[in-house]
Amino acid sequence: MIKVKPFLVSAALSFTLTTANASAQQHNKNELPEIGAAGSSILSIDKERVVGDAMMRQLRATQPLLNDPVMNEYINDLGNRLVNNAQDVNYKFRFFIINNSELNAFAFFGGHVGVHSGLITTADNESELASVLAHEVSHVTQRHLARRLEAQSKSQPITMAGMLGSVLLTLVNPTVGMAALSTTIAASQQAGINYTRGNEKEADRVGIALLVNSNFDPMGAPSFFVKMSEKYRYKSKPPAMLLTHPLPDSRISDARLRAQNYPRIQLPPSLAFELTKSRIKARYQSNAKDNVTYYQNLINKQQYVLKPAAEYGLALSYFANKQTTKAKGILESLLKSDTKNLFYVDALTDVYLELKLFDNAITMLSELNLLMPNNQVVALNYANALQQAEKYAKAEEVLQDFLLVKPGHLIAYDLLNQVYRKSGKTALMHTSKAEVYALLGAYPKAIDELQTGYNFADDKPLIRKRIKARIIQFEDQQEKLKRL
């Protein structure tokens, strides 16, 4: 697995949002009919996109996102299966996972949907996980958060700059976020950031219909509700998700009755879902030695849902426990029976690189790159294998091709930074590092890196022109946030 080197960035973005001329907004096609000019000028759909992008950059800088191409591929594939069947989609949705054992999922402006890893491992099947994503997608398509904030800004003249930053924190970590909100809005208004009962009921209704239309079991929603309710019924501290998504018994009953209006969809276990659960446990939970014992017992007692997923978990645990040869044997066997499975490909690449079997990794990945060009798991692992084998020119070519198709990819720019550093291309090293900082919302640091790169490009006029143009773009992006 490719690991992004941490950059120590303090990226607490400030959103200085001003009210535009009311008459200029009267005919805005994105204006919500029941909300006055102040609210609509703050949160038109176009502005939601800009604010959502800025908030995502802040999130990358401040939260433990899993920059894991395999799981990013899975969660986006699952999420977009739902989005493809949703109505009123105004954005390209982006799904991501936060490394946090709490049960939580949230959505914010611009079609961003986050899921805590603990929620994935708690779900028993893919329909349960899909029900949570469908619910969050429905909050976005119905514009619940935007409408709630617009209503608050209309009823109480508060500072949107402080409010938006606090809202993001509240969604990600409700316990901490509620404290932050108290500095920007009155205590009596804190509950207003929670979705209202009407919002939750609508998201349940739309979400369950979306679940069915996407060929998932409608009972996944009430089943997961019951699981959460029972797990925390006698706990003093409810999960984060219940603080922003209240779950009274009546809502569980309503969801069950609504789901019963649809025929059950009997689905076989999802291998990708089970592999994702194994990956989270083996990579990010417990310790390697305990995980080896856990998966050995699971396999010996045949207590797994799908045997390949248990074997995959054991292989990852072996690798983490420095038993690399054992991991290699299991993964090669798994890949032989499922030659395009990217979970296996990613893990086996790590094994080959650890054993310095660069040719094995490069051969495997180059063949897959022809079959799946610019797939993020294949391309990034391929580039990583090439740079570790000191084939820097080819690694640079693979990454540049990938970034043409997937611009703004954090891991790709971080890998490119390593390639430029190792190949002695100092000016380009600073430009790629600038892109990483920009993706974390740290525009001043990004501009500093570009200016440093400019100084190392005395004999490269074309690179200098590109750097100057990028500096202007970053400065414009900062100004755009101030003018919202």
PDB file of all heavy atoms in Angstrom, residues 357-381:
ATOM      1  N   LEU A 357      11.753  -7.799  -4.638  1.00  0.00           N
ATOM      2  CA  LEU A 357      11.438  -8.491  -5.893  1.00  0.00           C
ATOM      3  C   LEU A 357      10.786  -7.491  -6.850  1.00  0.00           C
ATOM      4  O   LEU A 357       9.619  -7.598  -7.233  1.00  0.00           O
ATOM      5  CB  LEU A 357      10.513  -9.680  -5.626  1.00  0.00           C
ATOM      6  CG  LEU A 357      11.070 -10.774  -4.700  1.00  0.00           C
ATOM      7  CD1 LEU A 357       9.990 -11.815  -4.375  1.00  0.00           C
ATOM      8  CD2 LEU A 357      12.280 -11.441  -5.341  1.00  0.00           C
ATOM      9  N   PHE A 358      11.574  -6.488  -7.240  1.00  0.00           N
ATOM     10  CA  PHE A 358      11.037  -5.390  -8.033  1.00  0.00           C
ATOM     11  C   PHE A 358      10.508  -5.858  -9.386  1.00  0.00           C
ATOM     12  O   PHE A 358       9.471  -5.388  -9.860  1.00  0.00           O
ATOM     13  CB  PHE A 358      12.105  -4.309  -8.231  1.00  0.00           C
ATOM     14  CG  PHE A 358      12.617  -3.722  -6.948  1.00  0.00           C
ATOM     15  CD1 PHE A 358      13.970  -3.752  -6.644  1.00  0.00           C
ATOM     16  CD2 PHE A 358      11.750  -3.156  -6.019  1.00  0.00           C
ATOM     17  CE1 PHE A 358      14.452  -3.207  -5.463  1.00  0.00           C
ATOM     18  CE2 PHE A 358      12.217  -2.610  -4.837  1.00  0.00           C
ATOM     19  CZ  PHE A 358      13.571  -2.643  -4.549  1.00  0.00           C
ATOM     20  N   ASP A 359      11.216  -6.769 -10.025  1.00  0.00           N
ATOM     21  CA  ASP A 359      10.779  -7.242 -11.338  1.00  0.00           C
ATOM     22  C   ASP A 359       9.422  -7.945 -11.259  1.00  0.00           C
ATOM     23  O   ASP A 359       8.588  -7.794 -12.166  1.00  0.00           O
ATOM     24  CB  ASP A 359      11.827  -8.191 -11.935  1.00  0.00           C
ATOM     25  CG  ASP A 359      13.084  -7.454 -12.379  1.00  0.00           C
ATOM     26  OD1 ASP A 359      13.027  -6.215 -12.502  1.00  0.00           O
ATOM     27  OD2 ASP A 359      14.121  -8.113 -12.592  1.00  0.00           O
ATOM     28  N   ASN A 360       9.206  -8.708 -10.186  1.00  0.00           N
ATOM     29  CA  ASN A 360       7.902  -9.373 -10.007  1.00  0.00           C
ATOM     30  C   ASN A 360       6.778  -8.349  -9.942  1.00  0.00           C
ATOM     31  O   ASN A 360       5.730  -8.493 -10.588  1.00  0.00           O
ATOM     32  CB  ASN A 360       7.896 -10.208  -8.727  1.00  0.00           C
ATOM     33  CG  ASN A 360       8.843 -11.390  -8.792  1.00  0.00           C
ATOM     34  OD1 ASN A 360       9.964 -11.258  -9.248  1.00  0.00           O
ATOM     35  ND2 ASN A 360       8.413 -12.546  -8.319  1.00  0.00           N
ATOM     36  N   ALA A 361       7.002  -7.304  -9.137  1.00  0.00           N
ATOM     37  CA  ALA A 361       5.979  -6.268  -8.972  1.00  0.00           C
ATOM     38  C   ALA A 361       5.747  -5.517 -10.273  1.00  0.00           C
ATOM     39  O   ALA A 361       4.596  -5.295 -10.684  1.00  0.00           O
ATOM     40  CB  ALA A 361       6.389  -5.302  -7.863  1.00  0.00           C
ATOM     41  N   ILE A 362       6.834  -5.133 -10.941  1.00  0.00           N
ATOM     42  CA  ILE A 362       6.709  -4.333 -12.158  1.00  0.00           C
ATOM     43  C   ILE A 362       6.037  -5.134 -13.275  1.00  0.00           C
ATOM     44  O   ILE A 362       5.183  -4.608 -14.005  1.00  0.00           O
ATOM     45  CB  ILE A 362       8.091  -3.808 -12.591  1.00  0.00           C
ATOM     46  CG1 ILE A 362       8.571  -2.746 -11.588  1.00  0.00           C
ATOM     47  CG2 ILE A 362       8.047  -3.233 -14.000  1.00  0.00           C
ATOM     48  CD1 ILE A 362      10.021  -2.333 -11.764  1.00  0.00           C
ATOM     49  N   THR A 363       6.403  -6.398 -13.406  1.00  0.00           N
ATOM     50  CA  THR A 363       5.776  -7.231 -14.435  1.00  0.00           C
ATOM     51  C   THR A 363       4.274  -7.370 -14.193  1.00  0.00           C
ATOM     52  O   THR A 363       3.458  -7.200 -15.109  1.00  0.00           O
ATOM     53  CB  THR A 363       6.431  -8.628 -14.461  1.00  0.00           C
ATOM     54  OG1 THR A 363       7.812  -8.484 -14.792  1.00  0.00           O
ATOM     55  CG2 THR A 363       5.753  -9.524 -15.494  1.00  0.00           C
ATOM     56  N   MET A 364       3.907  -7.671 -12.959  1.00  0.00           N
ATOM     57  CA  MET A 364       2.497  -7.830 -12.611  1.00  0.00           C
ATOM     58  C   MET A 364       1.714  -6.542 -12.897  1.00  0.00           C
ATOM     59  O   MET A 364       0.641  -6.571 -13.517  1.00  0.00           O
ATOM     60  CB  MET A 364       2.358  -8.209 -11.127  1.00  0.00           C
ATOM     61  CG  MET A 364       0.929  -8.262 -10.602  1.00  0.00           C
ATOM     62  SD  MET A 364       0.839  -8.692  -8.830  1.00  0.00           S
ATOM     63  CE  MET A 364       1.557  -7.211  -8.057  1.00  0.00           C
ATOM     64  N   LEU A 365       2.258  -5.423 -12.479  1.00  0.00           N
ATOM     65  CA  LEU A 365       1.546  -4.152 -12.565  1.00  0.00           C
ATOM     66  C   LEU A 365       1.537  -3.576 -13.980  1.00  0.00           C
ATOM     67  O   LEU A 365       0.564  -2.938 -14.389  1.00  0.00           O
ATOM     68  CB  LEU A 365       2.142  -3.158 -11.572  1.00  0.00           C
ATOM     69  CG  LEU A 365       1.911  -3.526 -10.104  1.00  0.00           C
ATOM     70  CD1 LEU A 365       2.871  -2.769  -9.196  1.00  0.00           C
ATOM     71  CD2 LEU A 365       0.475  -3.248  -9.699  1.00  0.00           C
ATOM     72  N   SER A 366       2.608  -3.785 -14.727  1.00  0.00           N
ATOM     73  CA  SER A 366       2.641  -3.258 -16.098  1.00  0.00           C
ATOM     74  C   SER A 366       1.589  -3.950 -16.956  1.00  0.00           C
ATOM     75  O   SER A 366       0.946  -3.312 -17.801  1.00  0.00           O
ATOM     76  CB  SER A 366       4.029  -3.430 -16.701  1.00  0.00           C
ATOM     77  OG  SER A 366       4.381  -4.799 -16.791  1.00  0.00           O
ATOM     78  N   GLU A 367       1.400  -5.251 -16.742  1.00  0.00           N
ATOM     79  CA  GLU A 367       0.375  -5.983 -17.487  1.00  0.00           C
ATOM     80  C   GLU A 367      -1.019  -5.488 -17.123  1.00  0.00           C
ATOM     81  O   GLU A 367      -1.877  -5.294 -17.987  1.00  0.00           O
ATOM     82  CB  GLU A 367       0.510  -7.482 -17.213  1.00  0.00           C
ATOM     83  CG  GLU A 367       1.783  -8.104 -17.795  1.00  0.00           C
ATOM     84  CD  GLU A 367       1.977  -9.547 -17.378  1.00  0.00           C
ATOM     85  OE1 GLU A 367       1.158 -10.048 -16.573  1.00  0.00           O
ATOM     86  OE2 GLU A 367       2.953 -10.181 -17.842  1.00  0.00           O
ATOM     87  N   LEU A 368      -1.242  -5.274 -15.828  1.00  0.00           N
ATOM     88  CA  LEU A 368      -2.548  -4.777 -15.387  1.00  0.00           C
ATOM     89  C   LEU A 368      -2.788  -3.349 -15.854  1.00  0.00           C
ATOM     90  O   LEU A 368      -3.925  -2.958 -16.139  1.00  0.00           O
ATOM     91  CB  LEU A 368      -2.655  -4.861 -13.860  1.00  0.00           C
ATOM     92  CG  LEU A 368      -2.870  -6.257 -13.289  1.00  0.00           C
ATOM     93  CD1 LEU A 368      -2.679  -6.244 -11.774  1.00  0.00           C
ATOM     94  CD2 LEU A 368      -4.261  -6.781 -13.633  1.00  0.00           C
ATOM     95  N   ASN A 369      -1.721  -2.571 -15.953  1.00  0.00           N
ATOM     96  CA  ASN A 369      -1.878  -1.176 -16.377  1.00  0.00           C
ATOM     97  C   ASN A 369      -2.340  -1.087 -17.827  1.00  0.00           C
ATOM     98  O   ASN A 369      -3.008  -0.124 -18.218  1.00  0.00           O
ATOM     99  CB  ASN A 369      -0.557  -0.425 -16.195  1.00  0.00           C
ATOM    100  CG  ASN A 369      -0.741   1.078 -16.180  1.00  0.00           C
ATOM    101  OD1 ASN A 369      -1.639   1.591 -15.517  1.00  0.00           O
ATOM    102  ND2 ASN A 369       0.093   1.785 -16.917  1.00  0.00           N
ATOM    103  N   LEU A 370      -1.998  -2.086 -18.621  1.00  0.00           N
ATOM    104  CA  LEU A 370      -2.488  -2.139 -20.003  1.00  0.00           C
ATOM    105  C   LEU A 370      -3.969  -2.513 -20.036  1.00  0.00           C
ATOM    106  O   LEU A 370      -4.726  -2.006 -20.870  1.00  0.00           O
ATOM    107  CB  LEU A 370      -1.670  -3.153 -20.805  1.00  0.00           C
ATOM    108  CG  LEU A 370      -0.206  -2.792 -21.071  1.00  0.00           C
ATOM    109  CD1 LEU A 370       0.510  -3.964 -21.744  1.00  0.00           C
ATOM    110  CD2 LEU A 370      -0.097  -1.544 -21.929  1.00  0.00           C
ATOM    111  N   LEU A 371      -4.372  -3.389 -19.115  1.00  0.00           N
ATOM    112  CA  LEU A 371      -5.765  -3.826 -19.065  1.00  0.00           C
ATOM    113  C   LEU A 371      -6.669  -2.800 -18.397  1.00  0.00           C
ATOM    114  O   LEU A 371      -7.832  -2.640 -18.762  1.00  0.00           O
ATOM    115  CB  LEU A 371      -5.861  -5.158 -18.304  1.00  0.00           C
ATOM    116  CG  LEU A 371      -5.175  -6.369 -18.934  1.00  0.00           C
ATOM    117  CD1 LEU A 371      -5.206  -7.554 -17.968  1.00  0.00           C
ATOM    118  CD2 LEU A 371      -5.849  -6.738 -20.250  1.00  0.00           C
ATOM    119  N   MET A 372      -6.121  -2.088 -17.379  1.00  0.00           N
ATOM    120  CA  MET A 372      -6.900  -1.098 -16.626  1.00  0.00           C
ATOM    121  C   MET A 372      -6.129   0.215 -16.563  1.00  0.00           C
ATOM    122  O   MET A 372      -5.637   0.598 -15.498  1.00  0.00           O
ATOM    123  CB  MET A 372      -7.176  -1.620 -15.208  1.00  0.00           C
ATOM    124  CG  MET A 372      -8.063  -2.833 -15.157  1.00  0.00           C
ATOM    125  SD  MET A 372      -8.356  -3.412 -13.439  1.00  0.00           S
ATOM    126  CE  MET A 372      -6.925  -4.466 -13.226  1.00  0.00           C
ATOM    127  N   PRO A 373      -5.990   0.903 -17.684  1.00  0.00           N
ATOM    128  CA  PRO A 373      -5.177   2.128 -17.692  1.00  0.00           C
ATOM    129  C   PRO A 373      -5.731   3.190 -16.747  1.00  0.00           C
ATOM    130  O   PRO A 373      -6.923   3.431 -16.697  1.00  0.00           O
ATOM    131  CB  PRO A 373      -5.242   2.592 -19.147  1.00  0.00           C
ATOM    132  CG  PRO A 373      -6.465   1.930 -19.706  1.00  0.00           C
ATOM    133  CD  PRO A 373      -6.596   0.628 -18.993  1.00  0.00           C
ATOM    134  N   ASN A 374      -4.797   3.757 -15.974  1.00  0.00           N
ATOM    135  CA  ASN A 374      -5.115   4.854 -15.053  1.00  0.00           C
ATOM    136  C   ASN A 374      -6.062   4.469 -13.925  1.00  0.00           C
ATOM    137  O   ASN A 374      -6.681   5.336 -13.303  1.00  0.00           O
ATOM    138  CB  ASN A 374      -5.655   6.065 -15.819  1.00  0.00           C
ATOM    139  CG  ASN A 374      -4.615   6.677 -16.735  1.00  0.00           C
ATOM    140  OD1 ASN A 374      -3.477   6.894 -16.330  1.00  0.00           O
ATOM    141  ND2 ASN A 374      -4.980   6.931 -17.976  1.00  0.00           N
ATOM    142  N   ASN A 375      -6.196   3.174 -13.662  1.00  0.00           N
ATOM    143  CA  ASN A 375      -6.861   2.766 -12.428  1.00  0.00           C
ATOM    144  C   ASN A 375      -5.965   3.183 -11.267  1.00  0.00           C
ATOM    145  O   ASN A 375      -4.756   2.935 -11.287  1.00  0.00           O
ATOM    146  CB  ASN A 375      -7.079   1.256 -12.420  1.00  0.00           C
ATOM    147  CG  ASN A 375      -7.616   0.753 -11.092  1.00  0.00           C
ATOM    148  OD1 ASN A 375      -6.843   0.517 -10.168  1.00  0.00           O
ATOM    149  ND2 ASN A 375      -8.912   0.588 -11.000  1.00  0.00           N
ATOM    150  N   GLN A 376      -6.538   3.796 -10.233  1.00  0.00           N
ATOM    151  CA  GLN A 376      -5.688   4.376  -9.200  1.00  0.00           C
ATOM    152  C   GLN A 376      -4.881   3.336  -8.431  1.00  0.00           C
ATOM    153  O   GLN A 376      -3.724   3.584  -8.059  1.00  0.00           O
ATOM    154  CB  GLN A 376      -6.513   5.226  -8.220  1.00  0.00           C
ATOM    155  CG  GLN A 376      -7.536   4.488  -7.399  1.00  0.00           C
ATOM    156  CD  GLN A 376      -8.172   5.400  -6.361  1.00  0.00           C
ATOM    157  OE1 GLN A 376      -7.493   6.189  -5.705  1.00  0.00           O
ATOM    158  NE2 GLN A 376      -9.478   5.312  -6.213  1.00  0.00           N
ATOM    159  N   VAL A 377      -5.436   2.153  -8.192  1.00  0.00           N
ATOM    160  CA  VAL A 377      -4.695   1.127  -7.457  1.00  0.00           C
ATOM    161  C   VAL A 377      -3.517   0.642  -8.293  1.00  0.00           C
ATOM    162  O   VAL A 377      -2.378   0.549  -7.815  1.00  0.00           O
ATOM    163  CB  VAL A 377      -5.615  -0.053  -7.085  1.00  0.00           C
ATOM    164  CG1 VAL A 377      -4.816  -1.139  -6.362  1.00  0.00           C
ATOM    165  CG2 VAL A 377      -6.771   0.423  -6.210  1.00  0.00           C
ATOM    166  N   VAL A 378      -3.766   0.347  -9.553  1.00  0.00           N
ATOM    167  CA  VAL A 378      -2.725  -0.184 -10.430  1.00  0.00           C
ATOM    168  C   VAL A 378      -1.670   0.882 -10.733  1.00  0.00           C
ATOM    169  O   VAL A 378      -0.464   0.645 -10.565  1.00  0.00           O
ATOM    170  CB  VAL A 378      -3.336  -0.715 -11.742  1.00  0.00           C
ATOM    171  CG1 VAL A 378      -2.240  -1.162 -12.702  1.00  0.00           C
ATOM    172  CG2 VAL A 378      -4.289  -1.867 -11.459  1.00  0.00           C
ATOM    173  N   ALA A 379      -2.093   2.060 -11.166  1.00  0.00           N
ATOM    174  CA  ALA A 379      -1.148   3.097 -11.590  1.00  0.00           C
ATOM    175  C   ALA A 379      -0.255   3.553 -10.443  1.00  0.00           C
ATOM    176  O   ALA A 379       0.963   3.712 -10.610  1.00  0.00           O
ATOM    177  CB  ALA A 379      -1.912   4.287 -12.171  1.00  0.00           C
ATOM    178  N   LEU A 380      -0.843   3.762  -9.265  1.00  0.00           N
ATOM    179  CA  LEU A 380      -0.052   4.265  -8.148  1.00  0.00           C
ATOM    180  C   LEU A 380       0.907   3.203  -7.628  1.00  0.00           C
ATOM    181  O   LEU A 380       2.054   3.503  -7.272  1.00  0.00           O
ATOM    182  CB  LEU A 380      -0.979   4.765  -7.045  1.00  0.00           C
ATOM    183  CG  LEU A 380      -1.856   5.963  -7.427  1.00  0.00           C
ATOM    184  CD1 LEU A 380      -2.813   6.323  -6.306  1.00  0.00           C
ATOM    185  CD2 LEU A 380      -1.007   7.172  -7.800  1.00  0.00           C
ATOM    186  N   ASN A 381       0.457   1.959  -7.561  1.00  0.00           N
ATOM    187  CA  ASN A 381       1.371   0.891  -7.159  1.00  0.00           C
ATOM    188  C   ASN A 381       2.477   0.700  -8.195  1.00  0.00           C
ATOM    189  O   ASN A 381       3.635   0.440  -7.844  1.00  0.00           O
ATOM    190  CB  ASN A 381       0.601  -0.416  -6.955  1.00  0.00           C
ATOM    191  CG  ASN A 381       0.038  -0.543  -5.544  1.00  0.00           C
ATOM    192  OD1 ASN A 381       0.778  -0.703  -4.577  1.00  0.00           O
ATOM    193  ND2 ASN A 381      -1.277  -0.470  -5.428  1.00  0.00           N
TER     194      ASN A 381
END
